[in-house]
Amino acid sequence: MKTIYMDYSATTPMKPEVIEVMTDAFKHHYGNASSIHHIGQEAKVLLQQAREQVAQLIGAEAREIFFTAGGTESDNWAIQIALETKPGKHIITTNVEHHAVLHPLEALEKKGYRVTYLPVDEYGMVTPEQVEEAIEEDTILISVMYINNEIGSINPVEQIAEVAAKHGILFHTDGVQALGNTPIDMSTNKISMMSMSSHKIYGPKGVGALYIRKGVRTVPLIHGGAQERKVRAGTENIPGILGFAKAAELAGASLDQHIEKLSRLRDKLRDGIMNNISDAKYNGHPVLRHPGNVNICFKYIEGESLLLLLDMKGICASSGSACTSGSLDPSHVLMNIGLTHEIAHGSLRLTLGDFTTEQDVDTVIEEIKPIVERLREMSPLTE
Amino acid sequence: MKTIYMDYSATTPMKPEVIEVMTDAFKHHYGNASSIHHIGQEAKVLLQQAREQVAQLIGAEAREIFFTAGGTESDNWAIQIALETKPGKHIITTNVEHHAVLHPLEALEKKGYRVTYLPVDEYGMVTPEQVEEAIEEDTILISVMYINNEIGSINPVEQIAEVAAKHGILFHTDGVQALGNTPIDMSTNKISMMSMSSHKIYGPKGVGALYIRKGVRTVPLIHGGAQERKVRAGTENIPGILGFAKAAELAGASLDQHIEKLSRLRDKLRDGIMNNISDAKYNGHPVLRHPGNVNICFKYIEGESLLLLLDMKGICASSGSACTSGSLDPSHVLMNIGLTHEIAHGSLRLTLGDFTTEQDVDTVIEEIKPIVERLREMSPLTE
Amino acid sequence: MYNQKVMDHFMNPRNVGEIENADGMGEVGNLRCGDIMRIYLKIDPTSDVINEIKFKTFGCGSAVASSSIATEMIKGKTVEEALQITNKDVLRELGGLPTIKIHCSVLAEQAVKAAVYDYATKHGKHYAALENYSPEDDDHDHDHGEED
Amino acid sequence: MYNQKVMDHFMNPRNVGEIENADGMGEVGNLRCGDIMRIYLKIDPTSDVINEIKFKTFGCGSAVASSSIATEMIKGKTVEEALQITNKDVLRELGGLPTIKIHCSVLAEQAVKAAVYDYATKHGKHYAALENYSPEDDDHDHDHGEED
Ligand SMILES: Cc1ncc(COP(=O)(O)O)c(C=O)c1O
Ligand SMILES: Cc1ncc(COP(=O)(O)O)c(C=O)c1O
């Protein structure tokens, strides 16, 4: 059975060009970039090129890119930077952030910090005005995600960055889902820090970066050797970084087509499902949206069952149901956009990417209806 | 010109079997192990197998292995665990630890913690008695490296672990250089935590692990998703972890031969150099030593110059000279085993590994003498 | 995630449906947690044998599988026998469930009890195993635990 | 790490060696920091032209290269001309050094000054450029800075 992968927001398959760069690096560029000999120095040169490639994708300077082990580490680090370089005990964020932002902040609350979790609107978005109103005397950081990973809505981060800059407060955005899926230009905005992750843009796992605007004071989260200009210790993962850079280069070269193609397939998928199946709710913003994200709640059924039956047809998807989130409640994102438990449990996230075909979309539209019907027949909620 | 790589302690080339496992994973196992669909579930199964493979190399249980992004993160994390789970303000370590241990501890000193840096003997080693004497009322952690990365001496960590256990104090060891280079059996010792790094055992960079003995309370350093039993967030780097596991498997299968072969080549290299060149000092313990480590100081010359000239002959090595450490002083390890600046600046570390040949050793013995002589002729210190 | 037996019962659930004019009907679980299980029974009044059983479940794979296997285990048994079946039996029969899904087997046990209780109440029957039973306690203990 | 010109001067250093009965000899740097540079001069007493220059250096690649290029720059120049040469000139001539190695070029400038001072002292000469010079200040400013 053919696999139809529609879980690109969870992680992407790697592009063949990326795999090629990495296997080449595995064989030929194994050096430690801190070493003086030629094997080390070659690695160092490649590292710098990679930094430039990643910088280019977001209109940044190479020295504003600091490589990490992924989006989660970048999020944690950005918070740590605010903590250690700014006096103050208050942080502003939203109630639909990724756990990589929420959980470190919750840990801080236990240590005496105050965190304002801004409520979002029905699309999962906040406004610059909301952010401004929440600012207090001792606010040290505003962190608002760029694109929501579950429902795909795009926040007005550039305007929020303006607000933060006006008040002299650091502004961090979790850009993990935004990178390669929307144009980002650091040379024209005021974002202080942005988290990125390679495995969401067809690069390898275990690599990411934190953009830190020049002038922003930096401290390490991971202490040790003098790598990454002394603020992120650990032998540089050169093959991984080169893979990330290649993925960034490819993403930059085809960003417009990527967005155009995915948006079209996304809307086709949405329409195909919404026109065919009743008692369904489309989540997230209709327009200001991740180009590959479709998120729909089907009444009367539970998400995990839906995923399992889809999987039997080779279709890979995800859900914010309690059962898949491994917790008591459905995902905090679905709850915080105001869904009831009843609806939220039946959520389905289909995320498209560069290997998604028209045929894939047609197949999913076709397969999903009988599956939903079958589960509804089994459900005590359908009357 | 042929490259003769003798910098295995900085990082190792990857074994072909490891590259194969990883490229296969890149193509076929790109799933997010948290996903419910088959692509994710396959990844999860492989992750568990990998955990078992790494556990096996050190006689641990799979659930005692927590994957990280490398040795540095593991070191930082182990310290964080002690910090957050134990009341007390005192930590014991040695003055020859890797920066991945020393720098986080220095950061803690600024926050009011007291750190005892035990002085080492001429070989860079501490005794269990020394450790025991340093224990205070509120000692929360003892961290002593297993094998020193510069001079290769092996500390009596099992006995130190006994001392720690007797006093009910957590014992962490930086095992980055020990893994795959000396037999380790967690089932017969009392080490609480041990840091490991994949790229030192012919695996990929950007992957490592922290061994945490069952029963030791754990908290995250990197907060976020529920990966690694909720204590190390971030999408699992499955291909990297599989590569690490493969490397661990290979290391385990040939540990005895590896140690035997390297020790022989190491001693041959040492003798070849020491018998040929006067005014040289062999650093580190003569017997209790990393099987591939040769560390020699040549009087009257400076390490970086030596490395550059060796590199011109294709020989990759490292040095603890000030110039290569990027700081004012020669490496803290060389200074703390009691060397004078004069001698310490002329240090050379040659580290051998599985791809080192007899021929390589012969070549290095032959090439190094004229280079040392040439630099000595140029030196104002040679009279 | 799930073993073959669980998947089989999820993919091909036995006894799905409703029984019109059922002798007993029980529903447990709640929407908040995302599992609701309803069981219908037809019981021979003289022999007390469960002749027919059907279920409807809203929930995850293991909730469906637990319902399915529980109905299979109970079918043809007397009510007293059926009441002896615990979530442990359901688990054993399924060949195990992931830790965070154990509560689904509890739900199945409770759904059976609730349906029998309904039958007993309506038909004036008394069962020792229902002595301390109260439908309000139904809400299964919902600790999803830690993932393995 | 180093550009081709630096590597060339490191690999093939010009004017390595000693001058017996040198007219001036200067040594700067210290062992602690790992760089010591010694320069020997032969100077024509009437024209004040530096006829011969040799150096011996203990230090890293850039220390050797700085010594080598400095001796090349100075050879054949008058003492006054030689004293005008600063570490910036040495750096420019080398085509640059990594930030943490800049101090090596400073060392070269100071070694020349020290050697000329020695000559001046021994031969009773006075040079405007040495007016404020004192050999004790020799110790070059040793901030290795941050790596790029
Ligand atoms: C919005 C968002 N932030 C952070 C992360 C974490 O990134 P990583 O898995 O690279 O640690 C993810 C994905 O998992 C994400 O979607
Ligand atoms: C003893 C020791 N500890 C820690 C590390 C850091 O490991 P990594 O480079 O994987 O972060 C190294 C190597 O760099 C090491 O040799």
Side-chain angles (χ1 to χ4, degrees):
Chain A
M1 191 181 44
K2 195 192 161 225
T3 291
I4 297 181
Y5 189 74
M6 289 210 177
D7 202 11
Y8 281 81
S9 281
T11 192
T12 55
M14 285 166 69
K15 290 201 173 147
E17 298 93 326
V18 173
I19 297 179
E20 207 176 297
V21 163
M22 287 186 69
T23 43
D24 180 65
F26 284 163
K27 288 175 195 154
H28 306 298
H29 309 302
Y30 58 86
N32 186 321
S34 307
S35 300
I36 277 184
H37 49 68
H38 65 285
I39 299 282
Q41 291 297 308
E42 280 163 23
K44 190 171 167 182
V45 168
L46 293 170
L47 175 62
Q48 184 55 19
Q49 286 169 7
R51 206 182 299 284
E52 276 157 22
Q53 279 174 311
V54 172
Q56 215 180 343
L57 178 57
I58 59 167
E61 292 178 29
R63 63 183 164 137
E64 296 175 317
I65 303 297
F66 295 81
F67 290 112
T68 67
T72 299
E73 184 193 326
S74 298
D75 283 341
N76 278 257
W77 187 18
I79 293 167
Q80 180 76 7
I81 286 172
L83 219 69
E84 300 249 329
T85 66
K86 301 286 173 190
K89 291 276 180 191
H90 181 243
I91 294 170
I92 298 169
T93 188
T94 80
N95 63 5
V96 294
E97 296 296 310
H98 193 271
H99 286 152
V101 167
L102 291 180
H103 287 172
L105 291 181
E106 283 162 17
L108 287 183
E109 284 186 286
K110 292 194 189 120
K111 294 185 178 160
Y113 284 81
R114 297 169 351 264
V115 180
T116 300
Y117 299 93
L118 294 173
V120 295
D121 66 13
E122 60 176 317
Y123 302 126
M125 294 158 71
V126 292
T127 64
E129 293 73 32
Q130 256 183 300
V131 172
E132 184 151 30
E133 272 166 34
I135 292 174
E136 300 187 13
E137 280 262 295
D138 64 341
T139 304
I140 57 172
L141 176 70
I142 297 166
S143 181
V144 174
M145 74 198 308
Y146 209 129
I147 298 189
N148 187 277
N149 49 303
E150 285 195 50
I151 56 174
S153 301
I154 306 180
N155 270 310
V157 288
E158 304 206 345
Q159 291 91 303
I160 297 172
E162 291 286 341
V163 168
K166 196 176 96 187
H167 292 266
I169 298 168
L170 285 175
F171 176 65
H172 166 254
T173 185
D174 178 338
V176 168
Q177 294 291 343
L179 191 72
N181 285 311
T182 194
I184 301 175
D185 186 358
M186 293 300 179
S187 74
T188 61
N189 70 40
K190 295 196 171 143
I191 293 167
S192 319
M193 298 182 275
M194 183 174 82
S195 303
M196 298 172 262
S197 183
S198 152
H199 73 97
K200 309 278 187 185
I201 63 161
Y202 314 94
K205 295 179 173 52
V207 191
L210 182 63
Y211 162 86
I212 307 176
R213 186 173 293 278
K214 58 173 189 279
V216 170
R217 230 188 97 204
T218 319
V219 294
L221 173 68
I222 313 263
H223 298 258
Q227 292 89 354
E228 299 297 292
R229 302 171 83 203
K230 298 191 179 157
V231 288
R232 204 292 188 172
T235 304
E236 298 92 341
N237 175 4
I238 300 290
I241 288 169
L242 297 185
F244 181 19
K246 186 70 193 177
E249 185 200 311
L250 295 173
S254 63
L255 188 60
D256 293 347
Q257 301 98 288
H258 166 87
I259 293 176
E260 200 181 293
K261 178 196 146 183
L262 286 198
S263 304
R264 197 175 49 74
L265 290 178
R266 174 196 66 192
D267 293 345
K268 179 178 177 177
L269 181 60
R270 174 196 62 196
D271 295 344
I273 295 173
M274 295 299 289
N275 295 340
N276 259 325
I277 303 177
S278 62
D279 290 326
K281 179 177 180 320
Y282 189 66
N283 300 310
H285 198 279
V287 182
L288 299 172
R289 188 179 188 97
H290 185 293
N293 176 291
V294 169
N295 190 304
I296 296 176
C297 285
F298 299 99
K299 275 195 190 169
Y300 317 131
I301 66 176
E302 195 278 330
E304 191 202 276
S305 291
L306 187 54
L307 296 191
L308 290 172
L309 291 177
L310 284 169
D311 192 42
M312 288 295 142
K313 300 287 180 186
I315 300 166
C316 298
S318 92
S319 168
S321 82
C323 280
T324 68
S325 70
S327 76
L328 206 66
D329 288 312
S331 98
H332 63 291
V333 177
L334 299 177
M335 296 312 289
N336 287 330
I337 59 172
L339 301 188
T340 61
H341 279 87
E342 181 181 357
I343 295 183
H345 281 298
S347 79
L348 175 68
R349 184 186 72 175
L350 296 160
T351 42
L352 318 183
D354 286 351
F355 303 119
T356 306
T357 64
E358 196 92 31
Q359 175 61 45
D360 290 343
V361 170
D362 291 335
T363 307
V364 170
I365 292 172
E366 207 180 291
E367 296 284 7
I368 202 167
K369 191 176 155 81
I371 290 175
V372 168
E373 282 170 357
R374 174 176 166 179
L375 286 171
R376 284 184 174 170
E377 264 166 40
M378 205 190 289
S379 171
L381 305 177
T382 328
E383 318 278 339
Chain B
M1 191 179 45
K2 194 191 161 228
T3 291
I4 298 181
Y5 189 75
M6 288 209 176
D7 203 9
Y8 280 82
S9 281
T11 193
T12 54
M14 285 164 71
K15 289 200 173 148
E17 298 92 327
V18 173
I19 297 179
E20 207 176 297
V21 163
M22 288 188 66
T23 43
D24 181 64
F26 284 163
K27 287 174 195 156
H28 305 298
H29 309 303
Y30 58 87
N32 186 321
S34 307
S35 300
I36 277 184
H37 49 67
H38 65 284
I39 300 282
Q41 291 296 309
E42 280 163 22
K44 191 172 167 180
V45 169
L46 293 170
L47 176 61
Q48 185 54 18
Q49 285 170 7
R51 207 182 299 284
E52 276 156 22
Q53 279 175 310
V54 172
Q56 214 178 344
L57 178 57
I58 59 168
E61 291 178 29
R63 63 183 164 139
E64 296 175 318
I65 303 297
F66 295 81
F67 290 111
T68 66
T72 299
E73 184 193 326
S74 298
D75 283 340
N76 278 257
W77 186 18
I79 293 168
Q80 180 76 5
I81 286 172
L83 219 69
E84 302 249 328
T85 67
K86 300 286 172 190
K89 291 275 179 191
H90 181 242
I91 294 170
I92 298 170
T93 188
T94 79
N95 63 6
V96 294
E97 295 296 311
H98 193 271
H99 285 151
V101 168
L102 290 180
H103 287 173
L105 291 181
E106 283 163 17
L108 287 182
E109 284 187 286
K110 293 196 188 118
K111 293 184 179 162
Y113 285 81
R114 298 168 352 264
V115 180
T116 300
Y117 300 93
L118 294 174
V120 295
D121 66 13
E122 60 177 316
Y123 302 126
M125 293 157 73
V126 292
T127 64
E129 293 73 32
Q130 255 184 301
V131 172
E132 185 152 31
E133 273 166 35
I135 292 174
E136 300 188 12
E137 281 262 296
D138 64 341
T139 304
I140 57 173
L141 177 69
I142 297 167
S143 181
V144 174
M145 73 198 310
Y146 210 130
I147 298 189
N148 186 276
N149 49 302
E150 285 194 49
I151 56 174
S153 301
I154 305 180
N155 270 309
V157 288
E158 304 206 346
Q159 291 92 303
I160 296 172
E162 292 287 339
V163 168
K166 196 176 97 189
H167 292 265
I169 299 168
L170 286 175
F171 176 64
H172 165 254
T173 185
D174 178 338
V176 169
Q177 295 291 341
L179 191 73
N181 285 311
T182 196
I184 301 175
D185 186 359
M186 292 301 179
S187 74
T188 62
N189 69 41
K190 296 196 169 142
I191 292 167
S192 319
M193 299 182 275
M194 183 174 81
S195 303
M196 298 172 262
S197 183
S198 153
H199 73 97
K200 309 278 187 185
I201 64 161
Y202 314 94
K205 295 180 172 53
V207 190
L210 182 63
Y211 162 86
I212 307 177
R213 187 173 294 278
K214 59 174 186 280
V216 170
R217 230 189 96 203
T218 318
V219 294
L221 174 68
I222 313 264
H223 299 259
Q227 292 90 354
E228 298 297 292
R229 303 171 81 205
K230 297 191 179 160
V231 288
R232 203 293 189 172
T235 303
E236 298 92 342
N237 176 5
I238 301 289
I241 288 169
L242 297 184
F244 180 19
K246 187 71 194 175
E249 184 199 312
L250 296 172
S254 64
L255 188 59
D256 293 346
Q257 302 97 288
H258 166 88
I259 293 175
E260 200 182 293
K261 178 196 146 183
L262 286 198
S263 304
R264 196 176 50 71
L265 289 178
R266 174 198 65 193
D267 293 344
K268 180 179 177 177
L269 182 60
R270 174 197 60 196
D271 294 344
I273 295 174
M274 295 300 289
N275 294 339
N276 258 325
I277 302 177
S278 62
D279 291 326
K281 179 176 181 318
Y282 190 66
N283 300 311
H285 198 279
V287 182
L288 300 171
R289 188 180 188 99
H290 185 293
N293 175 293
V294 170
N295 190 304
I296 297 175
C297 285
F298 299 98
K299 275 196 189 168
Y300 317 131
I301 67 176
E302 194 278 330
E304 190 202 277
S305 291
L306 185 55
L307 295 191
L308 290 172
L309 291 176
L310 284 169
D311 192 42
M312 289 295 142
K313 299 287 179 187
I315 300 165
C316 298
S318 93
S319 167
S321 81
C323 279
T324 68
S325 71
S327 76
L328 205 66
D329 286 313
S331 97
H332 62 291
V333 177
L334 299 177
M335 296 313 289
N336 287 330
I337 58 172
L339 300 188
T340 61
H341 279 88
E342 181 181 358
I343 294 181
H345 281 297
S347 80
L348 176 70
R349 183 186 73 176
L350 296 160
T351 42
L352 317 183
D354 286 350
F355 303 120
T356 306
T357 63
E358 196 93 32
Q359 176 60 46
D360 290 343
V361 170
D362 290 335
T363 307
V364 170
I365 292 172
E366 205 182 293
E367 295 284 8
I368 202 169
K369 192 177 154 83
I371 289 175
V372 168
E373 282 171 356
R374 175 175 163 179
L375 286 171
R376 284 184 173 170
E377 263 166 41
M378 206 190 288
S379 170
L381 304 178
T382 330
E383 317 283 334
Chain C
M1 188 163 58
Y2 295 130
N3 66 40
Q4 283 197 344
K5 184 115 184 233
V6 175
M7 278 311 284
D8 176 42
H9 274 271
F10 169 67
M11 293 299 294
N12 313 295
R14 323 321 189 227
N15 311 309
V16 176
E18 294 175 46
I19 300 177
E20 284 195 43
N21 306 317
D23 298 323
M25 196 273 272
E27 183 175 303
V28 295
N30 67 50
L31 263 178
R32 179 147 189 280
C33 303
D35 306 288
I36 293 180
M37 228 177 256
R38 188 186 292 165
I39 283 186
Y40 302 85
L41 301 173
K42 266 277 187 223
I43 296 171
D44 184 300
T46 47
S47 67
D48 238 23
V49 165
I50 297 170
N51 281 332
E52 221 190 319
I53 179 162
K54 294 275 182 197
F55 80 89
K56 281 207 158 188
T57 289
F58 164 87
C60 59
S62 55
V64 173
S66 297
S67 319
S68 168
I69 204 137
T71 57
E72 281 285 275
M73 290 163 74
I74 276 154
K75 206 171 177 176
K77 292 238 163 47
T78 66
V79 169
E80 283 287 8
E81 283 166 349
L83 287 172
Q84 299 313 314
I85 288 170
T86 66
N87 85 302
K88 295 238 157 46
D89 300 317
V90 172
L91 272 180
R92 192 179 324 109
E93 203 66 23
L94 281 174
L97 284 175
T99 318
I100 58 163
K101 302 290 191 176
I102 303 278
H103 68 280
C104 293
S105 63
V106 176
L107 211 57
E109 177 194 328
Q110 294 178 323
V112 171
K113 293 228 166 73
V116 172
Y117 181 82
D118 181 50
Y119 166 72
T121 313
K122 285 188 186 145
H123 296 78
K125 299 256 187 178
H126 290 277
Y127 298 105
L130 283 184
E131 210 87 293
N132 299 311
Y133 182 84
S134 139
E136 280 82 47
D137 290 348
D138 251 12
D139 230 13
H140 57 292
D141 176 14
H142 219 151
D143 182 6
H144 282 233
E146 198 188 341
E147 183 145 24
D148 259 3
Chain D
M1 188 165 56
Y2 295 131
N3 66 39
Q4 283 198 344
K5 184 115 184 233
V6 174
M7 279 310 284
D8 176 43
H9 274 271
F10 170 67
M11 293 298 295
N12 313 294
R14 327 312 192 234
N15 311 310
V16 177
E18 294 176 44
I19 299 176
E20 284 195 44
N21 307 317
D23 297 324
M25 196 272 273
E27 184 176 300
V28 295
N30 66 51
L31 263 178
R32 181 148 187 280
C33 303
D35 306 287
I36 294 180
M37 227 178 256
R38 189 187 290 166
I39 282 184
Y40 301 86
L41 301 173
K42 266 275 184 222
I43 296 171
D44 184 302
T46 46
S47 66
D48 239 22
V49 165
I50 298 169
N51 280 334
E52 220 188 321
I53 179 163
K54 294 275 182 199
F55 80 90
K56 281 204 158 191
T57 289
F58 164 86
C60 60
S62 55
V64 172
S66 297
S67 318
S68 168
I69 204 137
T71 56
E72 281 286 277
M73 289 163 76
I74 276 153
K75 204 172 176 176
K77 292 237 162 48
T78 65
V79 170
E80 281 288 8
E81 283 167 349
L83 287 172
Q84 299 313 313
I85 287 169
T86 67
N87 84 302
K88 296 236 158 44
D89 300 319
V90 172
L91 272 180
R92 192 178 325 109
E93 202 67 23
L94 282 174
L97 283 176
T99 318
I100 56 161
K101 302 291 191 177
I102 304 277
H103 68 280
C104 292
S105 63
V106 175
L107 212 57
E109 177 194 326
Q110 293 178 324
V112 171
K113 290 227 166 73
V116 171
Y117 181 82
D118 181 51
Y119 166 72
T121 313
K122 285 189 185 143
H123 296 77
K125 296 261 186 174
H126 288 277
Y127 298 106
L130 284 184
E131 209 88 295
N132 298 310
Y133 181 83
S134 137
E136 280 82 46
D137 290 348
D138 251 9
D139 229 12
H140 57 292
D141 176 15
H142 220 149
D143 182 7
H144 281 234
E146 198 188 341
E147 182 144 23
D148 260 3

